Amino acid sequence: MFLFSLYQGMEKTVKANFGGGNTDWEERKLGSYARSETRLVEIVESLCGSSEVRCHAMVEEHEEALEKWWFKLQDKDKDLKVWFCINEIKVCCPNGTYGAECKECPGGKSSPCNEHGDCQGAGTRSGSGKCDCHSGYEGDACDECTDDYYEDKGDDGKMSCKACHESCFGGCHGGTAKDCSACKSGWEQSEEEGCKDYDECAADTSNSLCSPGEYCKNSPGSFECKACDPACETCIGDGPGSCSKCSVGYQMKDNKCTGTPYISILARL
């Protein structure tokens, strides 16, 4: 955060004074102001908010180091993070490394956690270096797939973990319903289709799954009970055309319950 504010300050002072670009441009257009003490003071004064105690303490503690880089080392050590944060005050580590000795994260510093997780403490002098794997990945270096994922290699040869089909239970070796090791509840094994949705509603010949005034609607691996249309006392689906028995005040006409609700008739009496 400290270095980010410093870079922001450098950019802000360029724009505020002339509107600028890279270092070469600054040298040509800003002249002596580009490396002046005046500009450095403006940048440092804007680094921390009034309530950021730790930030102010860091600026005060390392003011001499900042001045050293500003006046003498900008050309030699252009990357301030490397010179100041990593080498000088030793509170940062290079990307992909962590801890007091800047050890490499699992998977290597160029590809920490094999790009499938986050290395705890990466870029800092703290942290355990343990990989917090993204969904679908596991292992010390996030180089294995969890049970509901399968390993796939793209055209570049890199391993990735992709989700099994929603019907799979206990793993799979591919992404279709035919690749499941076993089927979840609500699915049944089919020789042609693999794990096939089991239609609970079609199998419920006694209409016991849902309450009176509701109908059963199948969904992949499950079912839900939906309210019948107000025209229906009982129904087999949505709308007044799916009534198996009409509500009071309605009558079946052309396979559809039509009429006036009983409560409306009473209201007019």
Side-chain angles (χ1 to χ4, degrees):
M1 184 63 185
F2 175 81
L3 286 179
F4 178 72
S5 296
L6 183 62
Y7 285 127
Q8 274 192 324
M10 293 173 69
E11 181 69 15
K12 182 179 179 181
T13 52
V14 170
K15 292 181 177 179
N17 287 275
F18 294 94
N22 57 34
T23 303
D24 292 335
W25 185 94
E26 292 178 26
E27 290 296 321
R28 294 197 309 271
K29 300 296 183 181
L30 303 186
S32 60
Y33 173 78
R35 304 291 179 91
S36 69
E37 183 176 1
T38 300
R39 186 183 180 198
L40 176 60
V41 170
E42 289 179 18
I43 293 170
V44 170
E45 286 180 347
S46 66
L47 287 178
C48 309
S50 59
S51 61
E52 294 176 327
V53 178
R54 292 181 62 185
C55 179
H56 285 289
M58 178 173 283
V59 171
E60 184 176 350
E61 181 180 357
H62 302 294
E63 186 174 358
E64 289 185 8
L66 285 173
E67 291 177 351
K68 179 181 178 181
W69 178 83
W70 182 261
F71 292 117
K72 299 179 180 180
L73 300 173
Q74 282 195 57
D75 292 329
K76 181 181 177 181
D77 295 289
K78 293 183 182 296
D79 193 328
L80 183 58
K81 178 183 177 181
V82 173
W83 182 83
F84 179 72
C85 195
I86 297 176
N87 297 332
E88 185 71 13
I89 65 175
K90 295 180 172 58
V91 296
C92 304
C93 282
N95 294 336
T97 65
Y98 72 97
E101 299 177 4
C102 294
K103 295 180 179 179
E104 287 193 2
C105 292
K109 62 181 180 181
S110 62
S111 184
C113 303
N114 288 287
E115 300 179 1
H116 300 143
D118 301 309
C119 176
Q120 293 182 10
T124 74
R125 296 280 175 156
S126 60
S128 65
K130 181 181 177 181
C131 287
D132 292 326
C133 300
H134 298 158
S135 178
Y137 296 89
E138 63 182 4
D140 292 341
C142 302
D143 54 357
E144 302 173 25
C145 298
T146 57
D147 288 343
D148 293 332
Y149 288 73
Y150 68 96
E151 184 175 320
D152 181 65
K153 288 190 176 180
D155 295 335
D156 57 2
K158 291 185 177 181
M159 184 275 282
S160 64
C161 295
K162 295 185 177 180
C164 295
H165 189 269
E166 61 178 332
S167 63
C168 295
F169 176 78
C172 63
H173 56 272
T176 74
K178 293 183 179 181
D179 300 316
C180 300
S181 299
C183 300
K184 287 180 181 176
S185 176
W187 304 81
E188 56 185 350
Q189 188 67 47
S190 166
E191 186 173 341
E192 293 183 355
E193 301 179 43
C195 289
K196 178 183 177 182
D197 174 49
Y198 174 69
D199 192 338
E200 294 88 351
C201 297
D204 182 31
T205 55
S206 62
N207 297 318
S208 60
L209 290 177
C210 297
S211 302
E214 295 180 333
Y215 68 95
C216 182
K217 183 178 180 180
N218 189 57
S219 60
S222 187
F223 69 94
E224 57 182 329
C225 294
K226 307 280 286 185
C228 293
D229 188 271
C232 308
E233 183 174 325
T234 58
C235 64
I236 58 173
D238 187 30
S242 298
C243 301
S244 51
K245 183 179 180 181
C246 297
S247 297
V248 175
Y250 291 88
Q251 60 182 351
M252 187 69 70
K253 184 177 181 181
D254 297 328
N255 297 317
K256 181 179 180 180
C257 287
T258 60
T260 306
Y262 184 64
I263 189 169
S264 296
I265 296 173
L266 291 177
R268 292 201 297 265
L269 293 178

